[in-house]
Amino acid sequence: MQHLRVGLAQLGGEVGPGLLRVEFVDPGDGYEDVLPSVSVVVGFDEAVDPSTVTDLAFYVEDDVSNAVVGSIAMSSGNRTATFTPSALLTVGTLY
């Protein structure tokens, strides 16, 4: 069984004075039986400054806090970030 935990640190918003809110994470925290080839998609309530969406702000870790190496791409007017692992996730590991 494979679980997924996604970490999100503070990211900079481009629009509005309020705090940036996450509208969705897919797959979400605690999902089970995630495919090893999964990409993690996060949607925000407003545009995000792409320079703030780094591996320190948006990351995937295994159950002992080792970061998964991957890339981050922005889309949908900088309101969606997608993390794609560089290699397949290990089956049976908690992420």
Side-chain angles (χ1 to χ4, degrees):
M1 189 171 297
Q2 188 160 307
H3 298 268
L4 185 67
R5 178 179 62 233
V6 177
L8 295 170
Q10 184 173 353
L11 301 172
E14 294 179 336
V15 179
L19 295 175
L20 185 66
R21 289 188 309 260
V22 172
E23 291 190 325
F24 66 88
V25 178
D26 184 34
D29 189 26
Y31 273 41
E32 298 181 7
D33 299 324
V34 176
L35 294 175
S37 60
V38 70
S39 290
V40 180
V41 182
V42 178
F44 303 100
D45 68 329
E46 60 184 57
V48 176
D49 178 350
S51 69
T52 67
V53 185
T54 67
D55 59 354
L56 297 175
F58 179 18
Y59 54 90
V60 176
E61 298 179 329
D62 67 13
D63 59 345
V64 291
S65 300
N66 293 313
V68 174
V69 177
S71 61
I72 301 167
M74 299 300 297
S75 60
S76 300
N78 293 330
R79 291 182 57 158
T80 302
T82 302
F83 176 87
T84 303
S86 297
L88 295 177
L89 299 178
T90 304
V91 174
T93 300
L94 175 66
Y95 288 92

